[in-house]
């Protein structure tokens, strides 16, 4: 009898349907946003505009959730509570509702300590932030970080969003940053210190899923010999150098996930115009990364990705410093090679290159018996891969290639860790290859 009762209950549960709130006519008469002390009213008014277009109760529920997300995205609230009630009093309409948002603004000063993942690097970070500085989402932050490879970053950034304006749908934002970066480059025996300022204007095209960033950077870059073994061709680039850079970054992300995508396309391009002054822009540096993901069967997927870079140099205007060159090789570009291990070498160290290309073909699959690991199994995937690429040419001359298998672990929503067994198949004399296990951490792999 117990089994018959269970079957009947399951059938009745399956026959139940979610209520259809679209059958009930409704409109929003009023919207209240409470808890504003430092924030100007005009900064939040635009976020609620779609609520007044609701025609039924289902629309009211959906748009209320959307408005909550948009209000939180303004960067002024710590939390928000929602209430929907029938309209009362003067001006109340038939089927009218009042939607109220009760929020708590962020403190005047906030801070956090955490870990940040870079390309084959991890850093401890400390950040101090003053959110909503002038009442319209302005933000001033001071950030300090130190990585395990002795990279250090100190920057102060002021950000001004324009989400409340008529072009708010395009998410325009401007920022001004003062920075000081120091990073060693042991593969080429030099250390780079970078001090300067950066102006940035970014905007998105939501209908196309496309984001853009226009930047101007002005700073002093200074190279130092890393040790007594630094060769002369590197030392001749040492010393301070004034650098002026115009930069454009465009990105399209149509993937279903940024770490372990099963489907979708991702494209990112960067173009830089570099010189020592506005009238002496003699270096054009371009790099593009693309990725295509195709779902297969049983949770497996096929991934094809590639990256290419090129530098155009006018010798009459500018000399080409070594830190502007490309250094392919390593877990993010060509697996089976050390960092900067797949580029030309001179005097025993990596000399860099002006052009390169690299591609990767991956077959991704979940762990065997993934269903028995619960949610933990979704953080791990296995892959078989084949990488191929070369430098200083766009032909198939001097190809480097590697095949292998590996396992990857998700780290948050952006990065992953890879443990791969690599077998280099072709390489050039002087290349630094890794036969066997290789570790990689980052957010953008080939």
């Amino acid at each position: 009898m117990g089994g018959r009762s269970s079957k009947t209950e399951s059938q009745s549960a399956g026959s139940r349907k979610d209520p259809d709130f679209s059958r009930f006519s409704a409109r929003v008469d009023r919207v209240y946003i409470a808890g504003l002390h430092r924030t100007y009213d005009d900064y939040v008014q635009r976020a609620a505009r779609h609520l007044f277009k609701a025609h039924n109760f289902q629309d009211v529920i959906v748009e209320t959730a959307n408005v909550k997300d948009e209000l939180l995205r303004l960067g002024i609230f710590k939390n928000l509570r929602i209430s929907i009630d029938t309209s009362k009093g003067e001006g109340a309409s038939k089927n009218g509702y009042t939607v109220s948002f009760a929020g708590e603004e962020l403190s005047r000063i906030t801070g956090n300590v955490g870990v940040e993942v870079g390309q084959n690097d991890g850093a401890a970070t400390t950040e101090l932030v003053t959110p909503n500085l002038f009442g319209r989402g302005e933000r001033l932050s001071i950030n300090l970080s130190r990585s395990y490879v002795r990279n250090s970053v100190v920057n102060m950034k002021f950000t001004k969003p324009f989400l409340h304006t008529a072009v708010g749908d395009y998410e325009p934002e401007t920022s001004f940053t003062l920075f000081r970066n120091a990073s060693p480059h042991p593969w080429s025996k030099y250390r780079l210190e970078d001090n300067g300022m950066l102006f940035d204007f970014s905007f998105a095209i939501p209908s196309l899923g496309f984001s853009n960033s226009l930047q101007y950077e002005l700073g002093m870059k200074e190279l130092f010999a890393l040790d007594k073994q630094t060769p002369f061709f590197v030392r001749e680039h040492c010393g301070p150098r004034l650098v002026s850079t115009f930069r454009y970054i465009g990105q399209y992300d149509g993937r279903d996930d940024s770490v372990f995508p099963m489907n979708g396309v991702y494209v990112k391009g960067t173009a830089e115009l570099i010189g020592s002054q506005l009238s002496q822009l003699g270096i054009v540096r371009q790099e593009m990364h693309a990725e295509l993901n195709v779902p297969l069967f049983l949770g497996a997927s096929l991934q094809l990705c590639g990256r290419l870079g090129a530098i155009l140099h006018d010798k009459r205007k500018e000399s080409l410093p070594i830190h502007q060159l490309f250094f392919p090789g390593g877990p993010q570009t060509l697996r089976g090679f050390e960092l900067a291990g797949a580029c030309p070498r001179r005097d025993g160290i990596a000399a860099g290159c002006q052009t390169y290309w690299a591609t990767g073909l991956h077959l991704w699959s979940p762990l065997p018996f993934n269903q028995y690991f619960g949610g933990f199994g979704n953080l791990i995937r296995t892959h078989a891969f084949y990488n191929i690429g070369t430098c200083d040419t766009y032909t198939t001359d001097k190809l480097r290639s590697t095949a292998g298998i590996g396992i990857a672990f998700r780290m948050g929503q952006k990065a992953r860790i890879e443990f791969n067994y690599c077998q280099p198949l072709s390489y050039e004399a002087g290349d630094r290859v890794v036969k066997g296990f290789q570790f990689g951490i980052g957010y953008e792999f080939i």
Side-chain angles (χ1 to χ4, degrees), residues 284-398:
V284 178
R285 192 177 191 271
Q286 303 174 80
E287 195 166 18
M288 178 168 286
H289 177 95
E291 181 181 308
L292 172 65
N293 300 278
V294 179
L296 298 177
F297 49 86
L298 299 177
S301 64
L302 188 67
Q303 183 183 74
L304 176 64
C305 46
R307 190 180 302 163
L308 60 86
I311 296 175
L312 304 177
H313 174 217
D314 187 349
K315 297 181 180 179
R316 297 171 298 177
K317 292 185 177 180
E318 290 288 338
S319 60
L320 185 60
I322 189 171
H323 65 82
Q324 296 289 2
L325 298 174
F326 299 110
F327 293 86
Q332 283 78 34
T333 52
L334 286 171
R335 295 170 182 81
F337 293 82
E338 295 180 1
L339 287 173
C343 64
R345 307 189 74 80
R346 182 176 170 186
D347 296 339
I349 65 170
C353 58
Q354 292 192 37
T355 63
Y356 82 99
W357 65 266
T359 62
L361 181 65
H362 301 255
L363 178 63
W364 289 94
S365 65
L367 286 174
F369 310 107
N370 184 53
Q371 64 273 23
Y372 298 109
F373 293 95
F376 180 75
N378 298 325
L379 304 178
I380 306 173
R381 288 180 73 84
T382 61
H383 70 141
F385 62 87
Y386 178 69
N387 283 138
I388 186 171
T390 189
C391 57
D392 282 333
T393 179
Y394 288 118
T395 67
T396 55
D397 295 335
K398 299 181 180 180

Side-chain angles (χ1 to χ4, degrees), residues 260 335 362-368 373 376-377 379-385 404-410 416-422 437-441 445:
F260 293 138
R335 295 170 182 81
H362 301 255
L363 178 63
W364 289 94
S365 65
L367 286 174
F373 293 95
F376 180 75
L379 304 178
I380 306 173
R381 288 180 73 84
T382 61
H383 70 141
F385 62 87
I405 57 175
I407 186 169
F409 301 83
R410 174 191 290 270
R416 70 175 185 248
I417 298 175
E418 288 189 1
F419 292 95
N420 298 315
Y421 183 85
C422 306
F437 288 100
Q438 186 178 41
F439 168 83
I441 181 173
F445 292 80

